[in-house]
Amino acid sequence: MKQFVKASRQKCTMKLSIQGPSGSGKTLGALKIAKGLTGSLKKVAVIDTENGSSHLYSHLGGYSVLTMGAPFSPEKFIEAIQSGINAGFECLIIDSLSHEWFGAGGILDVHSQMEGNSFTNWSKLTPRHNALIQTIVNSPVHIITTLRSKTEYVIQQKNGKSIPEKVGMKAIQRDDSEYEFTIAFEVNKNHLATISKDRTNLFKNEVEFQLTEVIGDKIKNWCSIDDAQITSNVRQQVLNCNDLEELDRMMSENPEIVNVLREDVSIKTEDLILRNELKYRQNGSTHH
């Protein structure tokens, strides 16, 4: 029987999605992030289902392109991903993953042509889709997927009339696909991104921003630091604190490792209290 082990974040590869309508800059944003992640677009390959549109940005650098046509079966995507890994690329961009769901030969297309019970047919298709998602998630390289989105509306009753009201954008993919990614960006027609999911907390204070190489570099740094390094860095910051207010702020910014550094924090707290008492006594003696 396998044993329980302590949870630990080690050096990892990033799995992120960029969702947006046509013309919002998904492909360009993906390439810029990929460059920041790898340091060079020569280490990047695009799996292009968009009629070779990724070639439009060749001026950015020497990335490679695999043009994929129909049928857009999950197995075809899996084969392309494995080819990219075998070729030694450090980051793969799937542009776009939406085709596996709605494109010719994709999951919805195959389902619509199957005979028999619709619900039962899903039990045959879902494992195929899940196999692709697991291939992406378990990949040893960075993977960026772009997802087409469409405007989603709900019908509201106003003054006795049914009025369609825009409530946001919905990715053209299986509804739960976003949950499989570490970071999910949403870009709008103005080429500005917002965060719909972020397990890294790197962008928790961001409102709208452009997808740039700096974003990719920021993510790369997060991926390259493991828990031991984080703990070591924070421990050093704790030891360098000059007063109790600074120590309290340090702990509030790193709540996830307070227990790990409990002894260090306790020793530092006692040290700062003694310093304050000594300073108070010295000041008191001076006044006398």
Side-chain angles (χ1 to χ4, degrees):
M1 178 182 294
K2 291 186 177 180
Q3 301 296 314
F4 289 101
V5 296
K6 185 177 179 180
S8 173
R9 177 168 72 85
Q10 299 177 337
K11 293 182 180 180
C12 61
T13 54
M14 180 55 56
K15 309 300 183 293
L16 64 85
S17 66
I18 303 175
Q19 168 190 332
S22 177
S24 58
K26 299 185 294 297
T27 306
L28 179 59
L31 286 166
K32 288 182 176 181
I33 290 176
K35 187 174 183 180
L37 273 172
T38 62
S40 170
L41 283 177
K42 292 181 180 179
K43 303 175 183 178
V44 178
V46 182
I47 299 170
D48 188 331
T49 69
E50 300 282 357
N51 298 313
S53 63
S54 58
H55 286 284
L56 297 174
Y57 306 103
S58 60
H59 62 281
L60 294 177
Y63 59 92
S64 300
V65 179
L66 173 66
T67 302
M68 180 190 294
F72 297 107
S73 67
E75 294 77 17
K76 201 168 181 179
F77 280 85
I78 292 172
E79 182 181 355
I81 292 170
Q82 194 57 57
S83 294
I85 294 171
N86 293 341
F89 293 107
E90 295 181 10
C91 180
L92 300 178
I93 298 173
I94 304 176
D95 186 33
S96 85
L97 189 61
S98 291
H99 281 84
E100 181 265 347
W101 191 248
F102 85 101
I107 294 293
L108 293 182
D109 186 37
V110 173
H111 184 265
S112 68
Q113 298 180 43
M114 294 177 72
E115 298 180 354
N117 183 279
S118 176
F119 182 80
T120 303
N121 288 339
W122 277 116
S123 67
K124 301 174 184 177
L125 292 175
T126 297
R128 295 175 60 192
H129 170 78
N130 289 345
L132 170 58
I133 297 301
Q134 288 306 306
T135 298
I136 292 172
V137 172
N138 296 326
S139 168
V141 302
H142 301 296
I143 293 188
I144 303 172
T145 68
T146 68
L147 296 168
R148 291 185 180 185
S149 64
K150 59 182 178 181
T151 306
E152 189 174 27
Y153 293 89
V154 296
I155 303 299
Q156 301 282 7
Q157 295 295 322
K158 292 184 179 180
N159 301 321
K161 296 182 179 180
S162 297
I163 306 294
E165 184 173 312
K166 181 179 178 181
V167 293
M169 305 301 293
K170 183 177 181 180
I172 302 177
Q173 244 296 336
R174 185 167 175 163
D175 287 342
D176 59 356
S177 60
E178 179 182 292
Y179 298 109
E180 305 296 340
F181 297 97
T182 306
I183 302 176
F185 295 106
E186 292 185 6
V187 289
N188 58 32
K189 286 285 189 178
N190 297 320
H191 313 301
L192 295 175
T194 56
I195 287 288
S196 60
K197 178 187 177 183
D198 180 13
R199 289 178 177 169
T200 68
N201 288 321
L202 288 172
F203 307 100
K204 61 182 179 181
N205 297 320
E206 302 287 347
V207 181
E208 284 188 337
F209 52 94
Q210 291 186 329
L211 298 180
T212 64
E213 292 178 32
V214 174
I215 297 295
D217 186 63
K218 191 173 183 179
I219 297 171
K220 178 184 68 176
N221 291 335
W222 184 90
C223 289
S224 64
I225 300 177
D226 61 24
D227 283 346
Q229 290 175 286
I230 294 173
T231 302
S232 176
N233 291 340
V234 177
R235 177 179 284 114
Q236 190 59 48
Q237 293 178 56
V238 167
L239 296 177
N240 292 337
C241 285
N242 294 311
D243 53 53
L244 290 171
E245 289 76 13
E246 185 179 354
L247 181 61
D248 287 340
R249 183 171 61 254
M250 177 68 59
M251 290 300 95
S252 66
E253 292 175 354
N254 299 275
E256 69 279 3
I257 60 170
V258 170
N259 288 333
V260 178
L261 298 178
R262 185 177 298 278
E263 184 176 350
D264 297 273
V265 172
S266 178
I267 292 173
K268 187 64 180 181
T269 300
E270 291 178 5
D271 176 57
L272 291 173
I273 290 174
L274 288 174
R275 285 191 198 180
N276 286 342
E277 289 180 353
L278 180 59
K279 185 183 297 185
Y280 176 78
R281 290 171 185 171
Q282 290 175 340
N283 290 338
S285 299
T286 302
H287 289 308
H288 287 296

